[in-house]
Amino acid sequence: MEAGQRLWTRTAHTARDSTDVKASILLGSKGFDIPKISQKLEGLSAAKTFEPLEPVRDTDIQGFLRNERENALLTVIEQARKNTFEEAERRHWESMENEWEREKQKILNALIGSGQDLLDFPQEQESILGESVSMQGRSAMDNVELAYARQIYVYNDHVIQGGIRPSLVDMFTEVGQKLDDENVVEIWKMVQYLTDVPIATNENVLVARCSPRMQMAFVNQAKGYLEQSYVKYITTTIYGNLQQAQLGGVPGTYHLVRSYLNVRLPSSAPGLEDGSIDGHPVWAMIYYCIRCGDLQAALQVVQAAPQSLGEFPVFLQEYIRNEDRRLSPNAETKIRLHYRRSIKNSTDPYKRAVYCLVGCCDTNDVHSEIAEKTEDYLWVKLSQIRFDIDEDEGVIQDRLTLAQLQTMLLEEYGESHFNAYQQPYLYFEVLLLTAQFEAAIDFLSRIERLRCHAVHVAIALYEMKLLGVPHSIQSQLLSKEAADPQPLRRLNFARLIMMYTRKFEATDPREALQYFYFLRDLKTAHGESMFMSCVSELVSETREFEMLLGRLERDGSRKPGAIDKFHGDTQKIIEMVAKDTESKGLFEDAIRLYDLGKNPEKVLELLNKLLSQVLSQPPSPQSAKDRIKNLALAIAERRKHLGEEGPRATASTFYLLLDLVTFFDLYHASSIDQALDIIQHLKLLPFSLEAVDQKVNAFRHYADEIRRSLPDILLATMNILHTQYKNARQSGRHSPLVGRGLGPIDDGGKESYISYLRSQAKSLITFAGMLPYRMPGDTNARLVQMEVLMN
């Protein structure tokens, strides 16, 4: 290794020496004195440009003052430069941060899931052929989304008109029924049941949902749904086995259960107690009657039982009489004591289950012998929930609350236990029927083909004030706050809507607008309306200005756009969109928006800024200059037609810039005589030495846009004068001054005309030198060069 390193070092030195030798030979062959050049290079001073090169004596007051003055100027210049760079740096980073915030929101809205286990979701096996997608023209919405969107449109129409609002749940249920998908129909049937509760309109949504009154209503409605579903299941089973079921007797739950047991339960099942009725075990009959939600049918079985059932008939009658479906404390104590002593060890699973339902005994027993399906388990647990337990009752250790059941299903069991991604409808049902709306919607929204239904469930619940939303729209899709009771979650409704509309807002902006209208009561982090913020983003993304915001007619009136339907402050929305567009640097769009919003000052201000940037460029079709010029001319023509005044200073600058655009267009088209006539009529530059002082003084009153354009104007004008000078020298034509009394006739006025052009050029040079304005470095040099060529 060491030998290799030494060899490499020697080779590198040789290569370096060889390079030096080659450079010396090359420069020497061209006549360069190498030693002398080396000495000069070494003697170069790195002193600053403005530093005094000669030392100042202590007694040289003039020199001292001159140095102090120069140092003061240099300090100011350096400080101004430093401040400028710092300000530019600050604005740059501010712009970058704002841009990143916007992009971050787009990324977050595009991501699906609650943000907790995003990478652990198993990939769905979906068939492309299974999707019935109907593309309507250029629409990105499928037939299901379009069906929901039509209902959204009708609903918003009623809201805007101020009439009685129709039920969104019923409207969406109609959509589900037309889809020929039983699972979707069941989703909306569940939502119908769960929303048929007393709505609290004057308090916090989550506080209202945690009240015993509303929780009891949720549980009763969930049980009602499960009971009617079970009746439907029993009926389907019976009609599928009519011969075995032997359906007959008076229509009702009693005979329905009897026929169902003919199919399901063998006549000689072991371990069943207390005899039978109509050939079926008593406790099985009682259980299935209660499972179907018909307590009177259960009482009918109890009263017809061949053997004594002890005190149970009394307990059941009290249970039926109480609207809350609970026993008195004394009766509850008795039935629990009886359950612990004898019933708990019974071999009859139906008897144990009935006692647990009526007396809320043994809430840990899952009754797996008879509760074979998740729906059965859920119904049993919902039936055992208590809402008004007093700790003095002494049964605190054996109770089940809705919060406990919610926590167990969401956090302890969770998605993996229910195999959620293979059975999404089942897991959604479990969460929804236990009043965990936010978690249910969040789960369903993560599945692409079901997201549409999840979003509309969220909209229906939000409109009914049953959906908990976070305080900040920056939150994850599903979040919980420290002050919230367990296990309540909050759903970021705004993010869900924006995530959903992202798919089709580019092709269907009108439909996206309808969805954004639901966000009108939510606020952004800056306190602005989410509706207005989303509209602003939508307009910027789609650039459908006329469709969404309307357009200005030639008479100055505004043709309404899609936004006008919502009867909001349209002007305020347009102004907000215009400000956002301007802040993004999209000045041409901002001009159109400010024009639409009747803000002539901003229109002219931005037009002046843009015109000054493209003023001296040669005309070209479809170029930036061409677009800006056409826009400016259209606005100028309309202002003239309508006699609009506007801010005088800004307007005068605007019209002067338009004239200068014409001047440069003629200049680039080599129409130098017409261009010179225009610049002379504008009286911007002096064409005689007597007018120089006046024009220098007038220069101070021009706007920055004119002053920044002056170097190009001076160069173009000097070029015109130089071209006319060359033409006059080369051609024998008469001077245009002949006949004006400005030149002798003998030579056709040629010499006097050349002299006249020189005096004009000299006036421009003098004017440029007297201006209190720092022009680009080569401007003065080029002006002087052309003036010299004319002499």
Side-chain angles (χ1 to χ4, degrees):
M1 283 294 289
E2 290 179 4
Q5 184 69 24
R6 283 197 300 273
L7 182 60
W8 177 83
T9 307
R10 210 175 304 139
T11 306
H13 279 301
T14 306
R16 214 165 28 241
D17 294 341
S18 172
T19 305
D20 292 343
V21 170
K22 287 179 182 177
S24 300
I25 292 170
L26 177 63
L27 292 172
S29 66
K30 299 295 182 182
F32 289 96
D33 188 350
I34 305 302
K36 195 173 182 181
I37 288 175
S38 300
Q39 289 173 3
K40 281 185 179 180
L41 289 172
E42 289 170 2
L44 286 176
S45 171
K48 290 183 179 177
T49 308
F50 294 104
E51 283 184 359
L53 298 179
E54 296 180 4
V56 180
R57 297 176 184 173
D58 294 340
T59 56
D60 186 356
I61 296 174
Q62 292 296 328
F64 173 75
L65 291 175
R66 184 172 62 253
N67 281 351
E68 285 298 309
R69 178 176 177 277
E70 287 179 0
N71 286 335
L73 288 172
L74 285 172
T75 303
V76 171
I77 292 169
E78 180 60 26
Q79 189 61 42
R81 188 186 71 82
K82 184 180 176 184
N83 291 344
T84 303
F85 275 105
E86 287 177 355
E87 179 69 12
E89 184 81 0
R90 186 185 65 78
R91 291 194 180 189
H92 167 72
W93 282 111
E94 187 177 298
S95 174
M96 290 283 284
E97 285 173 6
N98 291 337
E99 185 67 26
W100 166 236
E101 280 300 322
R102 285 193 293 270
E103 289 301 318
K104 187 167 70 174
Q105 280 304 310
K106 288 180 187 176
I107 293 167
L108 289 173
N109 292 338
L111 290 173
I112 55 175
S114 62
Q116 293 169 355
D117 296 308
L118 289 176
L119 300 177
D120 295 336
F121 298 150
Q123 194 68 29
E124 288 185 86
Q125 298 297 321
E126 293 185 15
S127 169
I128 296 174
L129 298 175
E131 296 283 342
S132 58
V133 178
S134 169
M135 299 303 288
Q136 303 292 322
R138 66 186 185 94
S139 173
M141 303 177 77
D142 61 32
N143 57 344
V144 178
E145 292 163 343
L146 285 170
Y148 277 123
R150 279 192 286 273
Q151 300 291 52
I152 292 287
Y153 178 88
V154 173
Y155 177 79
N156 281 341
D157 219 28
H158 281 87
V159 173
I160 291 162
Q161 290 173 8
I164 298 173
R165 298 185 182 188
S167 168
L168 258 180
V169 177
D170 292 345
M171 294 172 76
F172 292 154
T173 302
E174 288 177 25
V175 174
Q177 289 168 347
K178 291 175 184 176
L179 294 178
D180 195 26
D181 186 337
E182 190 60 35
N183 289 316
V184 176
V185 172
E186 288 302 314
I187 283 177
W188 287 111
K189 194 176 287 185
M190 280 189 283
V191 175
Q192 277 184 319
Y193 267 87
L194 268 293
T195 53
D196 189 14
V197 294
I199 307 296
T201 57
N202 57 348
E203 55 182 319
N204 182 283
V205 170
L206 292 182
V207 170
R209 272 181 40 191
C210 289
S211 66
R213 175 169 164 265
M214 190 170 279
Q215 286 198 340
M216 192 180 299
F218 284 139
V219 168
N220 289 336
Q221 290 300 105
K223 282 171 59 185
Y225 169 77
L226 290 169
E227 286 162 359
Q228 67 84 26
S229 296
Y230 200 71
V231 170
K232 184 179 175 183
Y233 163 71
I234 283 180
T235 306
T236 305
T237 304
I238 290 171
Y239 280 96
N241 301 272
L242 277 174
Q243 187 174 359
Q244 188 180 354
Q246 301 175 1
L247 181 62
V250 180
T253 307
Y254 179 89
H255 290 285
L256 200 67
V257 168
R258 182 183 59 77
S259 300
Y260 173 68
L261 289 177
N262 284 337
V263 177
R264 186 182 189 282
L265 198 66
S267 56
S268 58
L272 302 182
E273 302 176 359
D274 297 330
S276 61
I277 182 171
D278 283 348
H280 294 296
V282 170
W283 290 108
M285 287 285 289
I286 296 171
Y287 170 79
Y288 283 112
C289 285
I290 298 175
R291 178 69 182 86
C292 292
D294 193 338
L295 295 175
Q296 291 299 330
L299 185 61
Q300 181 184 344
V301 175
V302 169
Q303 291 171 341
Q307 298 181 23
S308 171
L309 302 180
E311 289 188 80
F312 183 76
V314 178
F315 294 144
L316 183 61
Q317 287 174 350
E318 184 180 337
Y319 182 81
I320 294 171
R321 285 196 302 271
N322 193 323
E323 291 183 0
D324 295 341
R325 296 291 178 261
R326 61 157 294 181
L327 301 175
S328 65
N330 288 335
E332 199 165 87
T333 303
K334 284 182 182 179
I335 197 172
R336 284 178 177 231
L337 188 61
H338 181 55
Y339 176 81
R340 282 197 294 270
R341 284 178 177 174
S342 58
I343 308 299
K344 187 173 183 178
N345 299 319
S346 170
T347 56
D348 190 337
Y350 294 102
K351 186 175 184 178
R352 292 200 311 271
V354 170
Y355 266 86
C356 286
L357 291 171
V358 174
C360 290
C361 311
D362 197 4
T363 56
N364 294 320
D365 191 347
V366 295
H367 303 283
S368 56
E369 302 99 321
I370 55 176
E372 296 171 349
K373 295 184 178 180
T374 303
E375 289 87 347
D376 298 326
Y377 167 81
L378 200 57
W379 176 80
V380 169
K381 291 303 171 189
L382 288 170
S383 300
Q384 291 182 305
I385 287 175
R386 294 284 303 277
F387 297 97
D388 52 354
I389 292 179
D390 186 350
E391 292 190 16
D392 295 336
E393 292 182 25
V395 291
I396 191 82
Q397 74 282 1
D398 188 21
R399 69 168 184 177
L400 181 67
T401 64
L402 182 59
Q404 287 173 338
L405 180 61
Q406 289 172 335
T407 303
M408 181 167 62
L409 295 173
L410 179 65
E411 297 179 2
E412 293 177 20
Y413 290 166
E415 295 174 12
S416 58
H417 175 84
F418 290 99
N419 201 11
Y421 281 92
Q422 275 64 49
Q423 304 179 84
Y425 294 106
L426 177 64
Y427 189 58
F428 176 80
E429 178 183 2
V430 166
L431 294 177
L432 193 75
L433 292 179
T434 51
Q436 301 186 83
F437 306 139
E438 296 78 14
I441 292 165
D442 166 68
F443 165 72
L444 210 61
S445 71
R446 289 186 237 140
I447 301 171
E448 183 72 31
R449 61 190 170 85
L450 302 179
R451 184 176 305 147
C452 177
H453 306 299
V455 169
H456 291 89
V457 170
I459 290 172
L461 294 174
Y462 178 78
E463 283 295 288
M464 297 183 75
K465 295 183 169 51
L466 287 174
L467 195 69
V469 296
H471 293 106
S472 169
I473 62 160
Q474 308 289 337
S475 303
Q476 294 177 342
L477 188 58
L478 189 69
S479 62
K480 57 182 177 181
E481 298 185 3
D484 293 341
Q486 281 289 97
L488 280 182
R489 301 289 194 271
R490 293 175 184 259
L491 185 78
N492 193 332
F493 181 65
R495 176 169 290 177
L496 182 69
I497 293 294
M498 290 188 285
M499 182 177 77
Y500 177 65
T501 56
R502 181 70 61 192
K503 171 187 173 183
F504 57 82
E505 62 183 18
T507 57
D508 303 84
R510 287 178 183 272
E511 281 69 25
L513 203 59
Q514 295 286 341
Y515 283 92
F516 291 150
Y517 188 59
F518 288 105
L519 307 180
R520 60 192 178 278
D521 295 328
L522 298 177
K523 301 292 181 186
T524 66
H526 303 293
E528 300 165 348
S529 165
M530 268 303 298
F531 172 59
M532 292 173 66
S533 176
C534 288
V535 170
S536 173
E537 190 70 28
L538 181 66
V539 173
S540 301
E541 291 285 335
T542 62
R543 301 176 62 79
E544 294 282 1
F545 302 112
E546 292 187 2
M547 180 206 293
L548 296 171
L549 302 177
R551 73 160 186 259
L552 276 179
E553 303 289 2
R554 289 184 63 83
D555 61 357
S557 62
R558 188 176 72 86
K559 183 180 179 181
I563 196 72
D564 289 86
K565 174 188 172 179
F566 299 100
H567 293 187
D569 191 346
T570 309
Q571 291 296 111
K572 190 174 180 183
I573 291 175
I574 293 172
E575 186 179 342
M576 181 179 175
V577 177
K579 283 181 180 176
D580 283 352
T581 309
E582 183 188 358
S583 68
K584 293 173 185 173
L586 305 171
F587 296 122
E588 290 181 52
D589 293 340
I591 288 167
R592 293 186 179 90
L593 291 167
Y594 279 125
D595 196 29
L596 196 62
K598 304 289 180 67
N599 190 340
E601 186 169 358
K602 287 296 293 185
V603 170
L604 297 182
E605 180 187 319
L606 290 177
L607 270 174
N608 290 349
K609 185 183 291 185
L610 290 184
L611 282 170
S612 67
Q613 292 171 4
V614 298
L615 195 61
S616 60
Q617 294 176 8
S620 172
Q622 305 302 319
S623 64
K625 179 177 181 178
D626 190 51
R627 290 198 316 271
I628 295 165
K629 183 178 79 170
N630 291 336
L631 177 62
L633 288 172
I635 290 172
E637 285 175 15
R638 194 184 69 244
R639 287 173 60 82
K640 183 179 178 182
H641 176 71
L642 298 175
E644 293 178 358
E645 291 294 329
R648 179 169 294 181
T650 314
S652 62
T653 302
F654 171 63
Y655 289 117
L656 179 55
L657 283 167
L658 278 180
D659 289 332
L660 287 170
V661 168
T662 308
F663 161 73
F664 276 105
D665 285 352
L666 290 169
Y667 166 70
H668 288 298
S670 299
S671 302
I672 57 174
D673 292 332
Q674 291 172 274
L676 190 60
D677 281 343
I678 287 176
I679 202 66
Q680 286 175 341
H681 279 99
L682 292 178
K683 298 180 180 178
L684 187 64
L685 303 177
F687 288 92
S688 66
L689 290 170
E690 294 78 15
V692 171
D693 288 335
Q694 179 206 341
K695 298 302 179 188
V696 169
N697 292 328
F699 173 79
R700 294 185 177 89
H701 303 295
Y702 288 118
D704 282 342
E705 289 83 7
I706 302 295
R707 285 190 274 192
R708 282 197 293 268
S709 305
L710 198 65
D712 293 322
I713 298 169
L714 279 168
L715 286 170
T717 308
M718 186 64 88
N719 265 320
I720 289 171
L721 293 177
H722 182 241
T723 303
Q724 287 190 327
Y725 169 80
K726 287 195 298 183
N727 291 343
R729 294 285 292 180
Q730 292 169 5
S731 67
R733 66 185 180 86
H734 292 302
S735 164
L737 300 177
V738 175
R740 299 187 194 176
L742 295 175
I745 305 300
D746 54 351
D747 63 348
K750 179 177 178 179
E751 286 303 323
S752 58
Y753 178 53
I754 289 174
S755 177
Y756 174 63
L757 290 175
R758 286 172 177 161
S759 70
Q760 287 183 319
K762 188 173 182 182
S763 301
L764 293 181
I765 290 289
T766 308
F767 173 70
M770 293 178 66
L771 281 178
Y773 180 73
R774 186 178 179 183
M775 288 193 285
D778 65 334
T779 303
N780 285 323
R782 290 169 65 187
L783 288 171
V784 170
Q785 184 182 17
M786 281 187 279
E787 199 259 346
V788 168
L789 290 173
M790 292 172 68
N791 287 282

